Amino acid sequence: MEDKKILFSAVQPSGILTIGNYLGAIKNWKNLQNDYNSIFSGADLHTLTVKQDPQTLRANSYQLAALFLACGLDPEKSIIFMQSHVPAHAELAWVLNTITYPGELSRMTQFKDKSQKHQENINMGLMDYPVLMAADILLYNTELVPIGADQKQHLELARDLAIRFNGRFGELFKVPEPYFGKTATRVMSLQEPTKKMSKSDANLNSFISMDDDKDTIIRKFKRAVTDSDNKIIFSEDKPGISNLLTIYSAFRGISIKEAEAEFEGKGYGDFKVKVGETVADVIDPIRQEKNRILSDKTYIDAVLKDGAERASRIAYKVLSKVYKKVGLLPRSR
Ligand code: TRP
């Protein structure tokens, strides 16, 4: 690989992604892959921490891989692979477990939230989630990790574990930095614009999935909850309109100010349709391309196989250094 900084990120194959996931992650990855040695993973082992139907998980993993490719991640430029295909992730997680304290994990916000939400299935994996994530990152001498704000605490743990390991066993891991991107796009629910847009929302009108077709997208935007003063401006007391302006400007690649200027004097009805059309113009071709790619599983398998091989080469070099540092015997070849 060329002498560029190493960047690692991952998304769980836990179901259809929303435009929030797209704007928050994959859309930016496409550009980042030109500037960094980029490694992108489907975090399938993480997905197991909440109950999965095996067949659905398999389908979702193909969906995610196809979406990566449809969004412009390029297997020639980046390493694209499934986490479970590189066993070094689970192996490093084990070693990192031995330097992690239960208190560090039990106080994680996401663990507490998910324990609330899945009270029938509070398992060790759910608690250990951030350690596996630290392993994902540290295995590649990663310098930059594009993440959403909700993953900040997890990245902090990865940094702590890198520093702790280095302190105890000698310099080895790079201490990774978060990468939040230029504009932090926080996409809210279309029905309750004070809540984050979520694909697990029971109200299907509250989110735009990457699988929605043009008509569905426009219909959902038409139904988006707003207010009644008919002014298209970004303001804290106008969460619905502000959210639509955020979405519109992110999809158009313009500032909120520019978006406001564009709609000055226009009514909510026209505005909503315009936002819907703009989103659909981007999402619809991606969906079609994703479905085209999905029809060729052999191709996806080949991409993932090549990605896993390239990832493994880096990961095992690092893992064998870890094993050596902690005092495990070298394996005879
Ligand atoms: N936990 C991340 C999320 O849900 C996904 C993830 C897994 C990840 N491993 C990672 C992100 C490593 C960045 C780096 O969004």
Side-chain angles (χ1 to χ4, degrees):
M1 291 211 278
E2 287 170 69
D3 198 22
K4 294 176 183 167
K5 286 191 175 176
I6 298 176
L7 177 141
F8 183 99
S9 201
V11 174
Q12 292 188 64
S14 53
I16 289 305
L17 301 188
T18 70
I19 55 167
N21 304 118
Y22 171 72
L23 292 177
I26 309 178
K27 177 175 181 273
N28 306 319
W29 296 2
K30 182 187 167 176
N31 302 324
L32 292 172
Q33 66 184 342
N34 298 317
D35 299 333
Y36 301 98
N37 278 326
S38 304
I39 307 171
F40 299 118
S41 182
D44 52 357
L45 295 174
H46 277 110
T47 304
L48 297 177
T49 59
V50 305
K51 255 192 203 116
Q52 299 291 329
D53 166 54
Q55 218 164 323
T56 310
L57 174 58
R58 253 186 304 274
N60 285 342
S61 296
Y62 274 120
Q63 285 278 348
L64 184 66
L67 186 65
F68 278 1
L69 297 167
C71 289
L73 299 193
D74 179 352
E76 302 283 320
K77 290 184 189 161
S78 304
I79 296 179
I80 301 169
F81 75 106
M82 296 308 281
Q83 185 187 35
S84 65
H85 292 177
V86 180
H89 290 247
E91 294 171 287
L92 179 59
W94 177 257
V95 175
L96 294 179
N97 270 328
T98 65
I99 62 164
T100 308
Y101 312 118
E104 290 178 292
L105 300 179
S106 60
R107 67 162 180 260
M108 289 281 174
T109 311
Q110 193 168 84
F111 172 65
K112 289 193 272 187
D113 287 351
K114 287 190 178 173
S115 305
Q116 272 293 320
K117 230 168 111 188
H118 306 278
Q119 288 186 28
E120 74 308 332
N121 183 28
I122 303 175
N123 61 80
M124 288 309 296
L126 194 61
M127 188 163 159
D128 207 32
Y129 183 111
V131 177
L132 179 59
M133 182 163 156
D136 295 344
I137 295 166
L138 300 182
L139 260 184
Y140 298 94
N141 287 317
T142 303
E143 285 168 85
L144 283 178
V145 188
I147 44 165
D150 63 328
Q151 297 297 312
K152 230 170 125 178
Q153 223 181 11
H154 292 166
L155 188 83
E156 206 47 54
L157 180 79
R159 291 169 54 86
D160 288 347
L161 292 180
I163 292 166
R164 192 174 303 160
F165 185 97
N166 291 347
R168 214 172 279 186
F169 299 105
E171 257 338 277
L172 172 58
F173 291 126
K174 281 229 164 78
V175 181
E177 301 282 344
Y179 180 96
F180 294 113
K182 289 182 203 82
T183 48
T185 323
R186 201 170 140 78
V187 179
M188 312 304 278
S189 157
L190 298 183
Q191 292 297 315
E192 288 173 78
T194 50
K195 271 181 27 190
K196 196 177 151 191
M197 181 180 283
S198 163
K199 63 189 172 214
S200 47
D201 201 313
N203 184 345
L204 299 183
N205 284 322
S206 73
F207 62 88
I208 307 287
S209 109
M210 293 300 286
D211 243 4
D212 286 341
D213 62 20
K214 188 163 183 170
D215 290 347
T216 310
I217 294 171
I218 292 174
R219 180 170 43 80
K220 286 184 179 178
F221 275 108
K222 276 188 183 161
R223 291 188 187 167
V225 168
T226 50
D227 50 57
S228 54
D229 82 353
N230 232 21
K231 282 202 191 68
I232 302 173
I233 48 170
F234 191 96
S235 155
E236 219 169 279
D237 58 354
K238 294 166 71 72
I241 289 296
S242 299
N243 188 36
L244 296 184
L245 279 167
T246 301
I247 294 171
Y248 182 75
S249 58
F251 274 93
R252 282 283 315 280
I254 61 176
S255 70
I256 300 273
K257 282 269 161 289
E258 289 169 307
E260 282 175 340
E262 196 178 320
F263 294 105
E264 208 185 318
K266 300 248 164 54
Y268 282 1
D270 291 345
F271 173 52
K272 287 178 175 179
V273 171
K274 189 74 209 268
V275 179
E277 283 171 353
T278 304
V279 172
D281 283 347
V282 176
I283 296 304
D284 214 47
I286 293 177
R287 180 179 61 85
Q288 289 177 32
E289 174 65 359
K290 184 205 65 179
N291 288 338
R292 190 189 65 75
I293 295 169
L294 262 183
S295 66
D296 189 357
K297 297 252 165 48
T298 317
Y299 171 68
I300 299 176
D301 287 338
V303 168
L304 294 178
K305 176 168 184 267
D306 177 62
E309 280 167 4
R310 287 156 63 204
S312 293
R313 278 200 288 276
I314 308 170
Y316 276 101
K317 263 192 214 137
V318 176
L319 185 71
S320 61
K321 285 184 192 157
V322 170
Y323 278 7
K324 191 169 171 202
K325 287 247 188 237
V326 300
L328 303 179
L329 289 184
R331 193 168 73 187
S332 308
R333 305 250 165 214

